Amino acid sequence: MTKKTDYIIVGLGLAGACLSVQLLRRGKKVMVFDMPDLNRASSVAAGLFNPITGKRIVKTWKADEMFSYLIDFYRSVEKEYHIQFFNTSPLYTPFKTIEEQNEWMGKSADESFRDYILQVTSRSTYGDEVNDPLGGILLGRCGYIKTNIFLEGIRDVLKRDENYREEKWENSKMSVSDEGVVYKDLIAEKIIFCTGIHLLENQLFKGLPLKPLKGEVMSIKLPMELNRIYNRGVYIVESGDNIYKVGATYDLSNLQEETTVAGRKELEEKTKELLSMPFEVTHQDWGIRPSTIDRRPLIGAHPDQKNILVFNGLGTKGVSLAPYFSDQLADHIIGSGNLDKEANINRVKSLYSRFR
Ligand SMILES: Cc1cc2nc3c(=O)[nH]c(=O)nc-3n(C[C@H](O)[C@H](O)[C@H](O)COP(=O)(O)OP(=O)(O)OC[C@H]3O[C@@H](n4cnc5c(N)ncnc54)[C@H](O)[C@@H]3O)c2cc1C
């Protein structure tokens, strides 16, 4: 017997989970395919969101729109589905040099940073927890989501309504036309691939400029509870019971599917530099981020087949990008909105092979 749905979503990482929520909220039916064991990005992530990143003191791309949107989005998901995974928390970065201290002092007077900077200090403020002899910057609008609780919560909702299949998607079993998509017993209007780095194995998108970026994280046990996120070289984010996630490394060349001694050494050294207390490493993990050369997501329809779409390229910032761009993509899918030019997959259409 055939089963009709509006949209098929392949992949239940941050991209697929946020898009599922958005489409369900618009009254649409979805069928989601996923292989949780293949997930080596969303499930490993510390789940941090931080609007001011990098060595330069600049807001991340679209910070003003994206960060207010994500806070409302995750809070409303918690309420709607009765799950708890979202936490706001100040983030403290100790200064390394006097120049840096001066630069931040200057920025704190800048009106456009008013909502983000909670405090700038020039002498040690949290010295019993971190090494901050020159003081530091305390940022607001930061926090973290417990990604596994979020993903499991959405998976449970989909399972409950029989909108979830734990099975590997195979393109060879799909037929697509301008009328829609047929897959085994399923008929849908469109399919959206939210398969993270596994999109590189998908012949339909061969040549798409996705760049695997490996990351390692470790979990540490601390003798005391921290009241904020710390970030300098590594971030230290609470994950329950005095266990904290420390991350991450960035490796474009060594993509071996395992944790490494070098990864552990780097994380341990940076943690020792940041923390002023002893810690015990309890776990190490690895994952591969689906990043892009221009650091912008890849969203939209395949140029040769409008019923095949993609939501990918979330790179190092899936937690903050996924809510905002899933909203945009969901509107676009149901025919009521345009895609951001910088994120639209059209910008790279000359690079990947024609639909066959
Ligand atoms: C170590 C590390 C730390 C990170 N920390 C952070 C952080 O603190 N904050 C932040 O914002 N981002 C962080 N990131 C980045 C973030 O994890 C990614 O941006 C995000 O998870 C990408 O989500 P995704 O849904 O695109 O891909 P994925 O999470 O990889 O999800 C894709 C899903 O598709 C499924 N799939 C693939 N192929 C098939 C198929 N054929 N059939 C069925 N299912 C399939 C996979 O099993 C998987 O579940 C981190 C990443 C790493 C590796």
Side-chain angles (χ1 to χ4, degrees):
M1 212 173 69
T2 54
K3 183 172 163 128
K4 269 193 166 180
T5 187
D6 292 317
Y7 307 114
I8 295 172
I9 293 176
V10 186
L12 194 70
L14 288 170
C18 291
L19 186 62
S20 301
V21 169
Q22 302 279 14
L23 290 169
L24 292 172
R25 283 183 176 173
R26 285 161 176 79
K28 299 295 176 187
K29 281 196 221 142
V30 297
M31 178 60 79
V32 179
F33 287 74
D34 190 47
M35 294 290 287
D37 287 351
L38 294 180
N39 194 315
R40 304 296 316 187
S42 303
S43 66
V44 182
L48 178 69
F49 57 91
N50 170 12
I52 299 176
T53 54
K55 287 203 180 77
R56 308 290 326 141
I57 304 170
V58 283
K59 287 192 234 170
T60 65
W61 181 54
K62 291 187 176 294
D64 292 339
E65 300 108 290
M66 248 171 18
F67 281 76
S68 47
Y69 185 83
L70 80 87
I71 292 171
D72 289 348
F73 174 80
Y74 288 127
R75 282 204 175 123
S76 65
V77 170
E78 283 194 318
K79 221 167 155 187
E80 189 172 347
Y81 298 119
H82 311 288
I83 33 178
Q84 265 192 311
F85 60 87
F86 177 72
N87 304 275
T88 53
S89 162
L91 180 150
Y92 184 71
T93 301
F95 293 135
K96 255 192 168 163
T97 60
I98 296 285
E99 290 72 42
E100 206 180 48
Q101 198 188 63
N102 289 337
E103 232 182 305
W104 274 107
M105 290 287 182
K107 280 282 174 199
S108 63
D110 183 334
E111 183 63 16
S112 67
F113 278 81
R114 206 189 51 193
D115 288 348
Y116 299 93
I117 299 179
L118 299 179
Q119 198 183 17
V120 184
T121 54
S122 54
R123 62 174 70 133
S124 178
T125 316
Y126 302 113
D128 49 341
E129 298 180 359
V130 288
N131 298 311
D132 67 338
L134 298 175
I137 170 89
L138 191 68
L139 294 172
R141 294 207 165 198
C142 299
Y144 54 99
I145 68 164
K146 295 192 170 167
T147 54
N148 287 317
I149 299 180
F150 170 57
L151 297 181
E152 284 318 306
I154 302 302
R155 197 186 313 278
D156 286 347
V157 171
L158 294 166
K159 272 184 182 167
R160 183 194 66 201
D161 299 332
E162 297 183 8
N163 292 329
Y164 177 80
R165 295 188 184 177
E166 199 153 302
E167 105 186 28
K168 189 163 183 177
W169 176 271
E170 293 170 274
N171 280 351
S172 58
K173 299 193 170 127
M174 166 177 76
S175 63
V176 191
S177 68
D178 287 346
E179 277 65 60
V181 181
V182 180
Y183 188 78
K184 299 183 182 172
D185 60 329
L186 268 180
I187 301 178
E189 254 180 59
K190 294 179 191 296
I191 175 163
I192 306 103
F193 286 102
C194 304
T195 50
I197 207 59
H198 296 279
L199 197 70
L200 288 174
E201 298 146 24
N202 191 326
Q203 287 301 309
L204 293 173
F205 291 94
K206 191 162 178 254
L208 196 75
L210 255 192
K211 211 172 50 160
L213 177 59
K214 183 177 170 186
E216 293 188 50
V217 283
M218 65 182 189
S219 296
I220 57 172
K221 193 172 175 115
L222 294 181
M224 63 199 278
E225 196 180 312
L226 305 180
N227 292 317
R228 60 202 67 76
I229 299 166
Y230 289 112
N231 184 21
R232 177 96 235 184
V234 283
Y235 50 72
I236 299 179
V237 177
E238 180 270 338
S239 61
D241 297 330
N242 284 10
I243 301 289
Y244 292 79
K245 230 174 203 181
V246 177
T249 63
Y250 299 84
D251 201 336
L252 280 166
S253 51
N254 178 356
L255 300 175
Q256 276 172 325
E257 300 195 343
E258 59 187 14
T259 55
T260 62
V261 174
R264 166 96 172 235
K265 190 165 173 262
E266 180 184 331
L267 292 170
E268 280 198 61
E269 277 171 7
K270 288 182 171 169
T271 308
K272 271 184 202 151
E273 242 178 80
L274 176 58
L275 285 180
S276 60
M277 67 177 88
F279 60 90
E280 180 198 334
V281 179
T282 57
H283 182 66
Q284 192 182 350
D285 218 333
W286 64 274
I288 312 273
R289 309 169 182 93
S291 70
T292 56
I293 290 152
D294 61 6
R295 297 178 185 203
R296 298 291 178 258
L298 290 164
I299 62 173
H302 196 290
D304 303 318
Q305 178 42 263
K306 66 179 172 58
N307 291 329
I308 300 181
L309 293 99
V310 69
F311 184 19
N312 211 308
L314 299 182
T316 58
K317 299 196 172 77
V319 174
S320 41
L321 293 170
Y324 182 84
F325 283 102
S326 59
D327 180 48
Q328 206 176 91
L329 183 59
D331 277 346
H332 181 72
I333 289 170
I334 63 170
S336 65
N338 293 324
L339 298 177
D340 196 303
K341 279 200 185 103
E342 283 183 81
N344 195 325
I345 192 178
N346 261 336
R347 75 186 186 280
V348 292
K349 72 176 176 191
S350 60
L351 294 178
Y352 57 102
S353 64
R354 293 183 67 77
F355 173 67
R356 272 166 285 168

